Amino acid sequence: MGTDILVVDDEIEWLDTLRVLFEMKGWHVTVVSSAREGLRCLTERTFALVLCDLAMPGMSGVDMLKELRAADNRIPFIIMTGVGTIPSAVEAMRFGAFNYITKPFDADELENLARQAAEFGRIHHMLADEGGHEAAEPEMMLGTGRAMEAVLATVNKIAESSASVLIQGETGTGKSLLARYIHKLSSRSNGPFLTIDCGAIPENLLESELFGHVRGAFTGALSARRGLFQEAEGGTVFLDEIGELSPHMQVKLLHVLQEHEIRPVGGNVAVPVDVRFISATHRDLSAAIKEGAFREDLYYRLAVIRLRLPALRDRREDIPGFAGHFVRKYNKRYGKQVTRISPAALQSLQAQIWKGNIRELENVMERAVLLADGDSIGPGALGLNEEIEEKERTEGLSLQQAVQQAEKEAVSRALALAEGNRTRAAALLGVSRRTLYDKLEEYGL
């Protein structure tokens, strides 16, 4: 990973444990036993993250945080605390701590929190260094988290080939971006990349669009026309929403995949074509095959390589990077100077379900840039609670129902923020584990 972390704790045993833990994960670790020594290190070197104990002799973790924030408000700061001092740790977040974690902690939980914090800091450094604007619009935005590792590893193996690829995933997960990325890595990268939305072109026009037509093939065909498959010669054709293709066009496409040739509408002569096919769908094609709505032989021709893009809710580690990308994009579009997303806003983003995936996140960030106060996006600018509030207004919830709804939302959000760790979720809510278990059972969570 190669990320520098500063660990501050007056207990040598904890310093040794944390140093070994993070070094095993590939971090570069500096450990010191006092807040004053930690501040001195911060003047000499640049760190991606500070992990600091709350209660220490002399200068406390909160005092160190206050002094650091007077000089630099971008370095993420995580407080380590015992169960008895959680209120003090929560108070530290008012002074700019990214988050806190209670001792003893789960190693994976701590590393996940550290990764989130480091990414949070990276985004803010990037926004500030670029003045909140993009130096150049990125061509790709695929994500770098663990959920995408297997997908991108497969892509790197098959990109050079001409094998057909089927990309499946929910709407808004970035299937078209991944298709373009595969084309960019392939030997066809200098050739055309044509996107065809199979559900957007009327069926009576689709065959002519794809295969072209000869003069006089139908009324209005005053001259011959090359189809899109010919226009993409030597490149890649991306067939978006392939599941919407009619049975008639499925037969036609199968012939192209098998014989590598097309027959223009009204023509008698086959024309060879050299294109790579990448297709995508949000539909369950296996179910469509069982229902007789999609040809099984076509499926196997299209899906020589099958890729499934995870939903955004399953790749929360990518959310900070995506959010930063959209901030820069809309700063540029609207002439704004947003350079910061508050920790509370970022945690709200990571706690969302994101039914619309990356597309929905982009919509939220566009609005947030427009509504941001000054150079910072806070939770209010995100507008993530508007749907719940509107539902309460329109349905006229009773007081008891409103309380239950708010309680259920709070429990769900705490679990999301704690990444499923019930001990930490209970601490965030300020209740015992037993109370949390009762609420989980009561609300079916």
Side-chain angles (χ1 to χ4, degrees), residues 253-269:
L253 179 58
L254 178 61
H255 178 80
V256 177
L257 288 164
Q258 288 176 330
E259 306 300 333
H260 305 286
E261 65 179 25
I262 62 170
R263 193 180 299 273
V265 176
N268 297 317
V269 179

Side-chain angles (χ1 to χ4, degrees), residues 61 168 307 317-318 342 383 385 415 419:
Q168 294 178 285
L307 301 173
E317 66 271 28
D318 285 330
S342 75
N385 293 323
L415 280 171
E419 297 184 336

